[in-house]
Amino acid sequence: MLNSLNAEHLHLLLNHFPTVGYAVGLGLFLVALFQKSSELKQASLVIFIVIALISIPTYLSGNAANFALKEKAELSESMLQAHQDAALLGLIFMELTGLFAWLEIWRIRYVARPMNWNLMVVIVMSLATFGLMARAANIGGELRHPEIRPATESSAWPQTAVMAKAFVIENPWVWPAAEIFHFIGLTMIFGTVLLVNLRLLGIINHVSFDSVYRLLPWGIAGFIINFISGMLFFVAVPDQYTQNSGFARKMVLLVMAAVTMIYPTVFDRLSDLKAEDTAPVQNKVIAGASIALWVAVIFFGRYLPYIGSE
Amino acid sequence: MLSLLNQIEQSGLATWIHESGSLWGYPLVLFLHTLGFGTLVGINAAIDLRLLGFGAGIPLKSFEKTFRMMWGGFALNAVTGSLLFIADATKHATNPSFYVKLVFVAAGLFTLTRIRKNVFHASGKNESATLRQAKILGAISLGCWLIVITAARLMAYIAEYINA
């Protein structure tokens, strides 16, 4: 599915989300803060979350493109590496921005008292992310346009991707530890997903939706654990994953599955479901799809070594 | 003993699971094993959290129906686990990590039955004692499953170490 040539294409398509799309979200967010518009603020936070999710396949597709471009002599290897290092740093900040944006939306709905520090974190992180992503995009652009490339390359920035790879490869305990954590995260996510969606489907009943959905932070914690442990696998042997057809499928399904998990944080409707209420039919459909998507994510994760490089 | 294990390993079914190379052989059994584990431990861990005081708004009785699912997950894993065992009988039978895993699966399941009996179906006479016991059982349960996951993940590494 992700063969080398269209990996470049896919990356060129996706890389507009963490840059252009993100700039739109940031603009809205700043306007919302000045106008003190809570609706606009919520909308921009949702944009941050969605773009944080899309940034995951964007980064991964960059590695796939990198694999394809290695053969081409006209591209400077040190610049490819610099782009990748900048992108990984940007990705880390992007995911943190997405996480704190989610926390802010969660707070608005479930925690009555304000947490001013959290909004401050979102402001600082979102601005830093924008700067880092712009830098990654800039180096990326120069890859294809040597005429705008500056004569000297700065090397004061951390070699994030190089260091992450070395960390996993040089410490033999990291991979098994990441495997253990990846399975711990799996149970945290899957347990939460099952219970929340079984409530929507009516199989678990006599309980308000909100009571069950309060488990979500547990599932989000699992997601964080699995993002970190999964990225450790990926940065160590990126080609093993980008050249695997099952991996691309897993990532596409993962983004969709994550959306089905967090959308009730944003929309009011489900929060109105009291203990004896039945969920609307469309939410039941999404609940069924959510379970199926997570099962499919586990399926492709488990099948990775076997459908490998067909 | 070893010859018995060898015989198991060379039975038609075991050979097919391991050596057919079919995508619907070994990988499928492994996937179903993960699914059963995710169902049993995923829900059980959420119940443990509730017992430890997280998400206190969820009435315990709303978990009642999930016991059947957890036992379903366990049944799936008893079957798929046996299939995975016979496919590599000699390797697993000599792996200490495998026995650690089995012991703590048993301990985790036993704890789950205690949770159901002593917390879900508590007589209601002594609430603070029930609450205290719920917390202890929840912590023991989480600990058991944590050990199960760790031992299970380390099986491949320990097998490599032993056979090196």
Side-chain angles (χ1 to χ4, degrees):
Chain A
M1 185 159 146
L2 246 194
N3 74 42
S4 315
L5 260 183
N6 63 40
E8 272 177 87
H9 246 114
L10 182 65
H11 187 58
L12 291 177
L13 177 76
L14 285 173
N15 68 23
H16 292 91
F17 287 97
T19 51
V20 181
Y22 186 75
V24 173
L26 186 59
L28 275 183
F29 181 58
L30 295 175
V31 170
L33 289 180
F34 280 115
Q35 297 198 337
K36 298 193 177 5
S37 157
S38 58
E39 268 141 32
L40 203 54
K41 187 176 88 180
Q42 281 226 35
S44 54
L45 292 171
V46 171
I47 295 177
F48 286 162
I49 297 169
V50 170
I51 293 190
L53 285 173
I54 297 177
S55 296
I56 298 172
T58 306
Y59 179 82
L60 304 174
S61 70
N63 273 267
N66 188 12
F67 183 84
L69 292 171
K70 270 179 197 161
E71 318 297 323
K72 298 191 178 163
E74 78 266 20
L75 289 174
S76 139
E77 208 171 295
S78 69
M79 283 200 64
L80 274 173
Q81 190 59 57
H83 173 53
Q84 201 181 335
D85 289 330
L88 182 55
L89 193 62
L91 177 71
I92 293 167
F93 275 75
M94 178 69 86
E95 296 313 309
L96 286 170
T97 304
L99 174 63
F100 286 104
W102 168 78
L103 192 61
E104 183 62 16
I105 295 184
W106 178 264
R107 180 202 67 77
I108 293 168
R109 189 180 293 289
Y110 292 106
V111 189
R113 76 197 136 75
M115 298 192 297
N116 290 326
W117 61 268
N118 187 49
L119 193 59
M120 277 312 292
V121 172
V122 178
I123 295 170
V124 172
M125 292 306 295
S126 61
L127 291 169
T129 301
F130 184 67
L132 291 169
M133 272 302 173
R135 182 172 164 269
N138 187 40
I139 303 175
E142 284 165 13
L143 277 173
R144 275 311 202 186
H145 301 279
E147 70 280 6
I148 58 169
R149 198 180 296 163
T152 53
E153 290 164 17
S154 77
S155 57
W157 290 87
Q159 292 185 289
T160 338
V162 177
M163 288 179 342
K165 181 179 186 144
F167 173 70
V168 182
I169 289 177
E170 285 163 19
N171 298 292
W173 55 268
V174 175
W175 191 284
E179 275 189 10
I180 292 170
F181 278 106
H182 212 64
F183 274 75
I184 292 174
L186 180 158
T187 57
M188 293 166 74
I189 298 171
F190 197 61
T192 307
V193 165
L194 278 179
L195 292 169
V196 169
N197 290 314
L198 289 175
R199 165 59 185 89
L200 288 174
L201 289 169
I203 295 166
I204 293 175
N205 43 25
H206 309 304
V207 55
S208 74
F209 176 77
D210 271 358
S211 310
V212 179
Y213 202 59
R214 292 219 168 218
L215 280 170
L216 187 69
W218 174 251
I220 297 281
F223 195 90
I224 296 167
I225 291 173
N226 278 19
F227 172 73
I228 295 171
S229 51
M231 283 301 287
L232 288 173
F233 299 137
F234 185 84
V235 295
V237 277
D239 298 348
Q240 182 180 309
Y241 291 101
T242 59
Q243 300 313 302
N244 186 308
S245 59
F247 183 69
R249 286 168 211 183
K250 177 177 172 180
M251 289 303 114
V252 171
L253 291 164
L254 177 66
V255 170
M256 290 159 61
V259 170
T260 64
M261 183 176 175
I262 52 180
Y263 86 95
T265 316
V266 181
F267 299 103
D268 286 320
R269 250 188 115 161
L270 295 176
S271 252
D272 298 337
L273 288 184
K274 300 291 167 244
E276 304 304 325
D277 293 343
T278 312
V281 121
Q282 63 266 41
N283 297 104
K284 286 190 176 181
V285 172
I286 299 173
S290 182
I291 295 175
L293 282 166
W294 283 107
V295 169
V297 168
I298 296 173
F299 176 85
F300 282 111
R302 239 9 189 145
Y303 264 74
L304 274 184
Y306 305 99
I307 50 178
S309 26
E310 348 161 48
Chain B
M1 183 68 186
L2 207 61
S3 73
L4 175 68
L5 292 168
N6 266 320
Q7 259 175 13
I8 293 174
E9 208 171 82
Q10 275 143 28
S11 66
L13 180 62
T15 330
W16 181 77
I17 294 169
H18 208 198
E19 282 162 31
S20 71
S22 165
L23 279 184
W24 308 114
Y26 192 79
L28 179 67
V29 181
L30 206 55
F31 158 66
L32 292 175
H33 201 63
T34 311
L35 201 60
F37 147 83
T39 305
L40 168 63
V41 182
I43 297 175
N44 194 347
I47 291 176
D48 295 339
L49 278 190
R50 167 67 181 79
L51 299 183
L52 290 166
F54 183 89
I58 314 175
L60 277 184
K61 70 172 179 352
S62 57
F63 285 114
E64 270 294 340
K65 284 196 179 163
T66 64
F67 277 91
R68 211 179 304 158
M69 299 189 64
M70 287 189 281
W71 286 112
F74 173 66
L76 180 61
N77 275 23
V79 174
T80 52
S82 304
L83 291 174
L84 292 171
F85 177 80
I86 61 166
D88 281 304
T90 50
K91 202 169 106 190
H92 290 326
T94 53
N95 193 331
S97 205
F98 175 67
Y99 294 103
V100 172
K101 172 179 163 173
L102 283 191
V103 166
F104 282 91
V105 166
L109 289 172
F110 178 72
T111 310
L112 184 59
T113 62
R114 291 294 93 186
I115 288 173
R116 186 158 204 201
K117 186 158 184 284
N118 298 354
V119 182
F120 279 72
H121 299 161
S123 53
K125 277 179 201 148
N126 191 340
E127 237 170 80
S128 73
T130 306
L131 212 63
R132 196 171 55 244
Q133 198 186 18
K135 284 197 173 164
I136 295 169
L137 286 172
I140 292 175
S141 172
L142 277 182
C144 285
W145 295 127
L146 213 55
I147 296 171
V148 168
I149 294 175
T150 307
R153 286 299 88 212
L154 291 182
M155 269 170 67
Y157 295 93
I158 289 174
E160 211 174 289
Y161 180 77
I162 290 173
N163 299 323

